[in-house]
Amino acid sequence: MAEKTLPENIAPGTICVHSGTFHDGVTGGVNSPIFTSSSYEYLDREDTCYPRYFNTPNQEVVVAKLSNLEHAEAGVLFSSGMAAISTTILSFAGRGDHVVLLDELYGGTHAFVTDCFDRLGIGYTFVKTSVDAVARAITAETRVIVIESPTNPLMNIIDIEAVAGLGIAHGIVTVMDNTFATPINQKPLALGIDVVVHSGTKYLGGHSDLCCGVALGSREHTQTILAMARHLGGSLNGITCYLLERSLKTLALRVERHCLNARRIGAELAAHDAVRRVYYPGLPGCSGYETALKQMKGFGGMLSFELANGGVGPDAFLKRLRLVRPAVSLGGVESLICAPAHTSHAKLSATERHRLGITDGLLRLSVGIEEVDDILADLDQALSTL
Ligand SMILES: *Cc1c(COP(=O)(O)O)cnc(C)c1O
């Protein structure tokens, strides 16, 4: 692939714009062309392209940019975050093996494990978001540890370097879902984690209009993932690759604004009479703040808050919002809000939700990049009716 040689040590914002771009020798166009073929010639070529071999130019362009951002040697681009996560776990764990996972992992990951692992003969232990709990769950059969930080929706933080250390000490592959933080705020591979995965559907895509995922790490680890990925087949088409490449050019810029907006909104909500509690790792006093300070460059655009009236009528509050939209998913330019008890965590029993701390009045806000005063005014007018 014809990538122009870029200066070394360019900053993330510059990587976002330039890294990986396919140099168009035909026209000299400054953007990567979109390669739509699913069939490629094979004579006199070392490596034949094929979408499900994960080696088409548009796939490679995006992987190059993301690898550079995450300090990875290589990566595999997928058609969804779950394709990236399930393929990655299955690449390192099989019959008789054991996997340790945080019980606050993304609901889809949780469901994948509980629905499929028994049948596959893979043992597993879900633990609280704590390094000690992870350490205690490790057995002689443990092959993979899977973590997230911040977690959804309570924004708990785990010490990434400490978990990576456990993996190194025991020869266990550590996998981190870095969707909430993005590589702009947090670089798990630089802290010793083996494989970083993302739902690119969220901040990487950033405009709530595409679905994709990625796994990134050393050449050795990603080769293992690639071999499994070719069997399972969750590859991404060229047009969506291009949309993702286009989105990534503004990732650093968007994330900077998401962080600024979320920090301000978190502080204002924490001081609001109608709000009992705010969960945002960037607020001093929030549990995890010290660890977040150590391992995050910015605290991200996700925050949760609990209504002071115990959650009486969160739907009425949501319906009064005029700018912030009640919708699932996150990470787009527009502010979105949802009640986890009725959306992401609806399948859990009330007891299980209670144990995790997810009350009926808990609301999760994906802070967009709008003018922060407009978001605040909208939240305030809706809160004032409670
Ligand atoms: C959305 C999400 C996923 C799943 O990604 P899809 O693209 O929906 O498959 C995984 N992890 C986290 C943290 C997510 O938010």
Side-chain angles (χ1 to χ4, degrees):
M1 189 188 58
E3 185 185 351
K4 277 209 162 190
T5 312
L6 294 170
E8 278 177 31
N9 298 324
I10 48 176
T14 312
I15 292 172
C16 284
V17 176
H18 290 287
S19 189
T21 306
F22 189 101
H23 179 62
D24 176 8
V26 176
T27 65
V30 298
N31 286 308
S32 305
I34 304 176
F35 294 83
T36 54
S37 293
S38 62
S39 185
Y40 291 83
E41 291 183 356
Y42 70 92
L43 295 178
D44 303 324
R45 287 169 193 277
E46 262 180 33
D47 200 13
T48 303
C49 285
Y50 187 60
R52 192 187 31 83
Y53 288 174
F54 296 79
N55 63 356
T56 63
N58 293 103
Q59 292 168 333
E60 293 195 342
V61 158
V62 174
V63 167
K65 202 188 279 294
L66 287 171
S67 295
N68 205 343
L69 280 173
E70 283 282 16
H71 295 182
E73 281 176 7
V76 186
L77 189 63
F78 291 91
S79 53
S80 71
M82 278 315 300
I85 293 164
S86 56
T87 305
T88 297
I89 297 176
L90 293 178
S91 299
F92 299 105
R95 183 168 298 281
D97 294 337
H98 175 255
V99 181
V100 178
L101 315 98
L102 302 187
D103 62 5
E104 291 186 287
L105 289 183
Y106 174 70
T109 309
H110 200 282
F112 166 57
V113 171
T114 53
D115 285 351
C116 304
F117 274 27
D118 285 343
R119 188 152 36 103
L120 296 169
I122 306 172
Y124 59 92
T125 307
F126 281 108
V127 300
K128 280 196 342 183
T129 304
S130 112
V131 177
D132 287 345
V134 171
R136 278 197 303 273
I138 292 173
T139 71
E141 279 71 46
T142 306
R143 297 288 171 270
V144 187
I145 296 171
V146 188
I147 62 166
E148 269 174 45
S149 183
T151 61
N152 177 30
L154 296 176
M155 311 301 148
N156 282 317
I157 302 290
I158 193 163
D159 188 322
I160 301 168
E161 205 167 10
V163 175
L166 288 174
I168 293 163
H170 293 87
I172 299 168
V173 176
T174 47
V175 176
M176 172 150 195
D177 183 335
N178 203 27
T179 300
F180 269 39
T182 82
I184 303 302
N185 288 328
Q186 182 166 279
K187 298 193 195 294
L189 299 178
L191 297 170
I193 291 290
D194 292 312
V195 180
V196 164
V197 292
H198 282 274
S199 168
T201 314
K202 316 296 165 54
Y203 288 102
L204 304 186
H207 297 72
S208 308
D209 61 359
L210 61 84
C211 183
C212 66
V214 69
L216 301 148
S218 68
R219 207 163 294 286
E220 194 188 334
H221 284 126
T222 53
Q223 279 299 321
T224 306
I225 296 168
L226 179 62
M228 180 60 80
R230 287 179 172 182
H231 296 315
L232 298 182
S235 58
L236 192 64
N237 68 80
I239 293 173
T240 310
C241 287
Y242 181 75
L243 269 180
L244 177 59
E245 182 189 355
R246 191 185 204 273
S247 297
L248 286 171
K249 294 189 183 194
T250 57
L251 178 69
L253 206 58
R254 284 186 282 113
V255 168
E256 189 181 323
R257 176 71 165 244
H258 282 296
C259 291
L260 276 173
N261 282 1
R263 207 170 172 156
R264 167 92 189 280
I265 291 167
E268 301 259 345
L269 286 177
H272 202 291
D273 287 343
V275 174
R276 173 182 300 147
R277 187 168 172 188
V278 175
Y279 300 87
Y280 184 63
L283 289 179
C286 265
S287 76
Y289 173 71
E290 299 298 331
T291 313
L293 207 55
K294 191 178 73 164
Q295 64 194 24
M296 301 182 82
K297 196 163 161 285
F299 300 105
M302 298 301 300
L303 64 86
S304 292
F305 59 99
E306 216 169 289
L307 298 174
N309 63 3
V312 179
D315 285 0
F317 163 73
L318 295 178
K319 281 179 185 157
R320 276 196 64 97
L321 292 165
R322 288 182 296 199
L323 196 65
V324 179
R325 300 184 58 176
V328 297
S329 201
L330 60 112
V333 290
E334 64 284 301
S335 294
L336 301 178
I337 192 165
C338 70
H342 300 143
T343 55
S344 55
H345 293 68
K347 287 211 185 82
L348 300 185
S349 68
T351 334
E352 184 68 2
R353 275 199 298 273
H354 182 77
R355 194 183 64 74
L356 290 172
I358 298 164
T359 61
D360 283 343
L362 183 75
L363 296 168
R364 187 194 73 183
L365 182 61
S366 171
V367 178
I369 64 167
E370 302 96 337
E371 286 295 333
V372 69
D373 287 336
D374 289 333
I375 308 173
L376 279 167
D378 192 36
L379 291 169
D380 196 51
Q381 63 82 19
L383 284 171
S384 70
T385 63
L386 295 178

